[in-house]
Amino acid sequence: MIRDISSEIVVSLKDRLRDVRHLIRASRQDRKPVPQDLPDILFGKAARAMDKALTAAETISISLVSQDPAAHSTTIEARGLDVYFPADASKGESLFRRDVYYLTKRLLNVLGSRNALIHESTFTSVHAAVIRRHGALLVGAKDGDLNGIAEACARLAMELQSQYQSAHLPLPGYGGQQPRLNTQYLCFSAIALAIGLATYADHEPDDERLVESALLALQARGDKFDQAIGASDKVKALSDLFAFLIPHLP
């Protein structure tokens, strides 16, 4: 069966499709790539046609190889740490990777980075790194302790940002492909805070827009957020901010 293909191969195939689509969309923006980066067929009307074709190809690939194709057409929302990092950690990886990919795509679009390069494989690496480096902290956070949740989510935010930054260097000949550093911090802090909210509430988010609520809360306290990400100990500063915000948000 096609769906028996390993998830690692599936994620890699989808990421390569997204790479090509990203380059095509970049070629249609005001800043043109240098001629040798892409063949002429990828410009103008051909670029639009290729963009649509690759989007269709990605949709078809999801329907063929995904273990849960219907999940890709639903609205993705943040879930708790216990869902993403259960006792059997391998069971939470695919859900974490899928959810954080779509949440990142959604928030970067809201924040003005509409053609940001995003790979699902980055979030597989983040999931493994969090378990490896912060496993003990996750155990305490899943017990519902507010400060434990805040610190775990602050460390998650930093892990998301640093691995995204290192994995998504701008491609040669293109400008402005990577979101600004401040935008990255805001995006991943909002996702981590939303996961903290879901953990603290200890229930499924239902119709609550946790990520949007988290983003608005961080933007409303922009001075505090800027101080946190500018601090020498970013984790401690962000953890304190999260601990203050979590009890007051949905």
Side-chain angles (χ1 to χ4, degrees):
M1 292 291 291
I2 292 177
R3 287 197 178 94
D4 291 334
I5 299 173
S6 75
S7 62
E8 183 178 350
I9 293 174
V10 171
V11 169
S12 180
L13 288 171
K14 289 194 291 182
D15 282 346
R16 299 296 74 75
L17 273 174
R18 289 162 180 151
D19 284 347
V20 177
R21 184 175 61 187
H22 173 83
L23 287 170
I24 291 169
R25 288 177 176 173
S27 77
R28 292 163 54 191
Q29 295 174 354
D30 291 338
R31 182 187 293 270
K32 296 295 184 182
V34 294
Q36 64 267 28
D37 286 336
L38 289 173
D40 291 342
I41 193 173
L42 298 185
F43 293 96
K45 293 181 179 179
R48 287 191 291 274
M50 287 288 290
D51 188 352
K52 291 179 181 178
L54 285 165
T55 299
E58 183 182 0
T59 302
I60 292 169
S61 72
I62 287 171
S63 69
L64 290 174
V65 302
S66 176
Q67 298 296 321
D68 185 13
H72 296 272
S73 60
T74 61
T75 299
I76 303 297
E77 193 46 82
R79 303 163 192 261
L81 290 168
D82 56 326
V83 177
Y84 293 138
F85 301 95
D88 183 354
S90 62
K91 292 184 178 179
E93 182 274 326
S94 62
L95 190 60
F96 176 85
R97 166 176 42 80
R98 185 206 70 177
D99 285 3
V100 177
Y101 169 81
Y102 284 107
L103 291 173
T104 300
K105 185 176 180 179
R106 193 159 100 205
L107 286 193
L108 288 180
N109 186 64
V110 168
L111 294 170
S113 297
R114 292 180 176 80
N115 189 34
L117 185 59
I118 311 167
H119 291 151
E120 282 189 52
S121 55
T122 300
F123 306 122
T124 298
S125 300
V126 169
H127 190 269
V130 169
I131 292 172
R132 184 174 67 253
R133 297 170 183 168
H134 313 300
L137 181 59
L138 286 172
V139 173
K142 288 185 286 188
D143 288 339
D145 174 66
L146 174 60
N147 290 327
I149 292 170
E151 183 180 350
C153 290
R155 292 191 181 279
L156 174 59
M158 292 298 101
E159 200 70 57
L160 284 165
Q161 189 282 323
S162 66
Q163 295 220 30
Y164 177 85
Q165 173 77 8
S166 62
H168 296 83
L169 297 175
L171 296 168
Y174 290 82
Q177 290 187 46
Q178 193 176 55
R180 292 182 301 108
L181 196 58
N182 219 53
T183 299
Q184 293 178 37
Y185 276 121
L186 184 55
C187 170
F188 294 121
S189 295
I191 291 172
L193 177 56
I195 291 172
L197 293 173
T199 306
Y200 188 72
D202 193 28
H203 63 77
E204 290 294 320
D206 299 321
D207 293 329
E208 293 173 339
R209 307 286 285 186
L210 296 183
V211 173
E212 281 77 2
S213 295
L215 178 61
L216 288 172
L218 293 175
Q219 289 175 320
R221 292 160 181 81
D223 55 339
K224 297 292 186 184
F225 178 72
D226 289 342
Q227 289 172 18
I229 63 172
S232 56
D233 188 346
K234 292 180 176 57
V235 169
K236 175 65 167 61
L238 200 58
S239 177
D240 289 346
L241 180 57
F242 284 0
F244 170 76
L245 291 172
I246 286 172
H248 302 292
L249 294 173

